[in-house]
Amino acid sequence: EGTEEAERETLLNEVYTELYITEELRQENPDIFKVFSDQHRSIRVVLTSGVAGAGKSFSVQKFTLDWAEGLENQDISAVVPLSFREMNLIRDEQHSLLTLIQLFHPTLQKIPAEQLSDCKLLFIFDGLDESRLSLDFNNSQVVSDVTQKSSVNVLLTNLIQGRLLPSAQVWITSRPAAANQIPPSCVDRLTEVRGFNDAQKEEYFRRRFPDEELSSRIISHIKSSMSLYIMCEVPVFCWITAVVLENMLTTEQRGELPTTLTDMYSHFLMVQTKRKKNKYQQEHQTSPQELTETDREVLLKLGRLAFEHLEKGNIMFYQEDLQQCGLDVTEASVYSGVCTEIFRRECEIFQKPVYSFVHLSVQEFLAAVYMFQCYSNRKVEVIEDFLKNNMKNPSLDEFLSRVMEKSLQSQTGHLDLLVRFLHGLSVESNQRLLGDLLGQTEKNPETIERAINNLKKINIKGVSSDRSINIYHCLMEMKDLSVHQEIQEFLKSENKSKKKLSVIHCSALAYTLQTSEKVLDHLDLDQYNSSYEELKLLLLFLLLCCITDRPEDNPSSLHSLCRWEERIW
């Protein structure tokens, strides 16, 4: 947490809250390489997946810290962390495994090659989703000697496959979409970091804020907004929420507390851009009109960088990437000062700095801000290039509808959060908060009403369940509670067959059941007046809820969910 400045840093052990980590559906302990009684082979390669911000890298850091302090896993001789974002910088170079280790860990410069086989080494490859390497497990050159030089991607594939240094253990972390780059035959254990459960959310805020009154007020507000409460399963969102609510509850600032995702990120942007370049001067958040022209220019340049690279899947940037967007990399405000904890210099290896947004969701939010500003200022070429469509002078509802269509066509869902933020930015309260950063937009209530109706009428046949729920989230970001209220009334009604459920109602119903504290004992689908397609969708939603929300009570697995989804569709 925090920045590299000494007075703002937070030590890992002071704030670290245990994460909910599972192996398939069995809760896992810190010894991820332990062989359980019902397993008959040793664990050599572990693949840990988890959504952005769930705590994968922090798990790696905590594991390494506990090992270094002699608390856990003392059978391991040496832990060798190698992040993909760092290895990207040498992807065109030739190395042996020995020189690769020594390059990133100079303290091992004098280790002889023969000693690598005698030691029990653990290689941790963090952030597979950030890799720009080409990992080919089918046609790669065979390398079995730790002194044999080859490309970095060949070394990694041979190490993972066990051809190179078979005595070593390997731990790989990845976001779910990129995890399939590692063949299942190479993985002995698959674990998932699932962020915080409900008790861990509260523990995080109480550890972060020793002031019991402040922590209780923050927890109470989060619980009052189901959208925020669910998002706090992701630890990095807990941090963003803590930054915003601490600022709003401990300063003279007045105004309604954020209730949606877009609200929270809009406030976060304002809090961070008010940090001054002088690291010793901190000011309370001021009104959006006090953003300087320099602030606006830097934020929009960062937004352009975020937007242009989001579709490419890039979350790490090099100096040339910044320069293409007009960012002066020598200016301190690029990675500190006005942009503290929004955009930062991640590391510097081989005299080449690497930059990143503090989190992927911050990149997605700034991309949405930039895109909304392009729409408001009629930068037609940017919009048309993105949508691959003729968009000379679209109304706001037409623009939002086209972006939603594009996101639903994506197989990976990488534009879902961008779309959610765009719908949230159309709300007048967020436009007021961000001032003229978004440009002048039409404030016609009829346009907003059309955008809301477009969401309710979207045809999502063939779209996966999690993607269709994003449509419901977009409604909530626009602060339209009509569908939510209709579902609440529906659940209370005795004769449910009189109410016709649309697809958006099925999404809302499944989401409501998933997030309810009440356990549903049974669900009689005969009560529901819906089409066959809508009932299939609802059933799939509910299967997803059962498997992902309460795994400790359900013997099913994600593999069975995949089979169910195939059969249902």
Side-chain angles (χ1 to χ4, degrees):
E1 289 197 355
T3 66
E4 294 177 356
E5 301 163 10
E7 69 275 12
R8 289 188 54 78
E9 69 182 5
T10 304
L11 296 180
L12 181 62
N13 277 338
E14 289 179 6
V15 76
Y16 185 85
T17 304
E18 288 298 328
L19 291 158
Y20 185 42
I21 304 175
T22 64
E23 181 200 8
E24 293 181 344
L25 295 177
R26 169 170 50 191
Q27 191 155 351
E28 189 59 89
N29 62 22
D31 190 354
I32 60 170
F33 290 93
K34 178 181 178 180
V35 179
F36 296 107
S37 57
D38 59 345
Q39 294 173 322
H40 305 291
R41 63 172 180 171
S42 61
I43 306 298
R44 197 184 68 83
V45 177
V46 175
L47 174 61
T48 296
S49 68
V51 299
K56 299 181 297 297
S57 294
F58 266 79
S59 293
V60 165
Q61 292 173 23
K62 188 66 166 68
F63 180 100
T64 307
L65 179 61
D66 287 346
W67 169 80
E69 292 185 338
L71 302 177
E72 300 280 354
N73 302 289
Q74 293 305 288
D75 58 320
I76 296 174
S77 304
V79 176
V80 185
L82 296 167
S83 73
F84 280 97
R85 66 179 62 180
E86 294 175 344
M87 289 188 290
N88 287 338
L89 298 175
I90 58 166
R91 63 184 183 274
D92 297 325
E93 298 179 11
Q94 295 280 310
H95 285 279
S96 69
L97 183 62
L98 183 63
T99 59
L100 182 71
I101 295 172
Q102 294 171 342
L103 182 66
F104 287 98
H105 299 283
T107 53
L108 300 176
Q109 284 284 358
K110 296 182 179 179
I111 189 172
E114 58 272 13
Q115 194 173 333
L116 289 183
S117 300
D118 298 333
C119 298
K120 185 175 181 181
L121 297 181
L122 168 60
F123 290 88
I124 303 179
F125 298 121
D126 190 29
L128 176 62
D129 46 280
E130 300 171 356
S131 172
R132 293 188 184 180
L133 305 175
S134 301
L135 299 179
D136 186 349
F137 287 86
N138 296 320
N139 303 304
S140 70
Q141 169 194 359
V142 175
V143 176
S144 57
D145 187 339
V146 296
T147 63
Q148 180 180 345
K149 286 192 174 184
S150 187
S151 63
V152 178
N153 55 298
V154 168
L155 291 178
L156 262 59
T157 54
N158 277 272
L159 186 63
I160 293 169
Q161 288 174 316
R163 296 170 175 169
L164 180 60
L165 206 61
S167 60
Q169 292 177 314
V170 177
W171 185 11
I172 306 165
T173 72
S174 176
R175 293 175 188 169
N180 59 10
Q181 294 183 54
I182 309 298
S185 60
C186 294
V187 179
D188 300 308
R189 173 170 288 161
L190 183 64
T191 67
E192 181 184 5
V193 178
R194 301 182 64 159
F196 291 154
N197 60 27
D198 290 351
Q200 290 163 341
K201 295 173 194 175
E202 294 196 27
E203 181 189 348
Y204 170 83
F205 287 108
R206 296 199 187 280
R207 289 184 64 145
R208 197 179 194 283
F209 300 111
D211 183 333
E212 187 174 341
E213 181 183 359
L214 178 59
S215 61
S216 296
R217 288 179 69 188
I218 289 175
I219 291 169
S220 177
H221 175 68
I222 293 167
K223 283 187 171 181
S224 70
S225 171
M226 189 54 69
S227 177
L228 297 184
Y229 194 56
I230 291 172
M231 281 299 297
C232 281
E233 292 175 356
V234 179
V236 77
F237 186 71
C238 285
W239 167 65
I240 288 174
T241 301
V243 169
V244 171
L245 295 184
E246 179 186 24
N247 179 271
M248 297 187 73
L249 294 173
T250 60
T251 67
E252 296 300 317
Q253 181 181 340
R254 294 289 182 265
E256 184 180 346
L257 293 178
T259 58
T260 69
L261 194 66
T262 312
D263 287 350
M264 192 65 75
Y265 277 71
S266 297
H267 279 278
F268 180 74
L269 187 65
M270 295 307 301
V271 170
Q272 297 302 338
T273 53
K274 300 321 295 177
R275 309 269 189 203
K276 298 304 179 182
K277 292 182 182 180
N278 187 334
K279 64 182 179 180
Y280 298 106
Q281 295 178 347
Q282 297 293 323
E283 293 185 355
H284 295 321
Q285 178 172 331
T286 52
S287 63
Q289 287 74 20
E290 293 187 35
L291 274 179
T292 66
E293 188 59 35
T294 300
D295 292 339
R296 296 188 188 96
E297 288 180 6
V298 171
L299 287 174
L300 288 174
K301 288 175 182 177
L302 286 172
R304 178 186 167 190
L305 178 75
F307 174 75
E308 291 181 353
H309 286 268
L310 185 62
E311 202 169 10
K312 300 176 185 176
N314 294 339
I315 60 175
M316 301 298 299
F317 313 102
Y318 304 119
Q319 187 165 316
E320 53 268 28
D321 298 325
L322 274 62
Q323 290 171 338
Q324 287 176 4
C325 293
L327 284 163
D328 180 2
V329 295
T330 63
E331 186 180 21
S333 62
V334 169
Y335 49 87
S336 63
V338 298
C339 296
T340 300
E341 295 174 0
I342 291 176
F343 192 72
R344 63 190 182 190
R345 182 149 67 176
E346 189 74 19
C347 54
E348 186 164 341
I349 308 170
F350 323 123
Q351 289 75 52
K352 185 171 184 179
V354 182
Y355 303 86
S356 76
F357 291 93
V358 70
H359 186 248
L360 176 59
S361 60
V362 174
Q363 179 177 346
E364 291 163 316
F365 178 72
L366 275 172
V369 168
Y370 173 76
M371 193 173 184
F372 204 97
Q373 199 265 355
C374 286
Y375 166 78
S376 301
N377 290 352
R378 295 295 185 255
K379 296 180 181 177
V380 178
E381 65 283 357
V382 175
I383 302 300
E384 288 187 338
D385 185 60
F386 176 72
L387 295 175
K388 303 294 188 286
N389 212 321
N390 186 354
M391 299 286 287
K392 291 300 180 187
N393 192 25
S395 61
L396 180 59
D397 58 297
E398 291 173 330
F399 167 66
L400 292 174
S401 182
R402 293 287 182 85
V403 177
M404 174 62 82
E405 287 175 11
K406 181 177 177 67
S407 78
L408 291 176
Q409 291 167 2
S410 164
Q411 297 297 314
T412 62
H414 71 292
L415 298 176
D416 285 359
L417 202 53
L418 170 74
V419 172
R420 189 170 167 182
F421 281 134
L422 281 172
H423 281 81
L425 291 173
S426 69
V427 176
E428 189 175 351
S429 59
N430 284 320
Q431 293 177 12
R432 280 199 309 271
L433 178 66
L434 296 177
D436 58 3
L437 184 64
L438 298 177
Q440 296 298 317
T441 56
E442 53 187 298
K443 294 180 173 60
N444 186 346
E446 294 180 0
T447 303
I448 299 299
E449 190 63 31
R450 286 199 303 269
I452 290 171
N453 289 331
N454 288 341
L455 288 172
K456 294 179 180 179
K457 295 175 182 177
I458 289 178
N459 180 4
I460 55 172
K461 183 177 179 180
V463 176
S464 64
S465 53
D466 57 329
R467 308 292 305 289
S468 54
I469 285 180
N470 193 52
I471 299 170
Y472 176 62
H473 287 319
C474 289
L475 278 174
M476 301 298 281
E477 293 299 323
M478 297 189 76
K479 302 190 178 179
D480 178 79
L481 303 179
S482 59
V483 173
H484 173 75
Q485 291 165 349
E486 288 166 7
I487 288 301
Q488 297 302 317
E489 293 171 4
F490 171 78
L491 289 172
K492 294 176 184 176
S493 66
E494 295 183 1
N495 192 348
K496 295 181 173 59
S497 60
K498 289 184 178 180
K499 171 67 177 177
K500 170 70 174 174
L501 287 183
S502 66
V503 169
I504 192 67
H505 283 108
C506 288
S507 299
L509 176 59
Y511 181 76
T512 301
L513 294 174
Q514 179 186 11
T515 56
S516 173
E517 293 185 358
K518 297 179 181 179
V519 177
L520 194 66
D521 293 325
H522 69 278
L523 185 69
D524 184 359
L525 294 181
D526 289 333
Q527 291 184 332
Y528 295 78
N529 180 12
S530 299
S531 70
Y532 178 62
E533 289 294 327
E534 288 155 356
L535 285 177
K536 285 197 302 183
L537 190 62
L538 176 60
L539 179 58
L540 182 56
F541 284 151
L542 294 175
L543 281 168
L544 184 64
C545 297
C546 292
I547 291 172
T548 61
D549 195 49
R550 296 185 177 90
E552 65 275 16
D553 298 329
N554 196 304
S556 304
S557 69
L558 279 175
H559 297 295
S560 65
L561 171 66
C562 295
R563 291 195 295 271
W564 265 101
E565 183 158 12
E566 290 174 5
R567 289 171 62 185
I568 289 172
W569 285 118

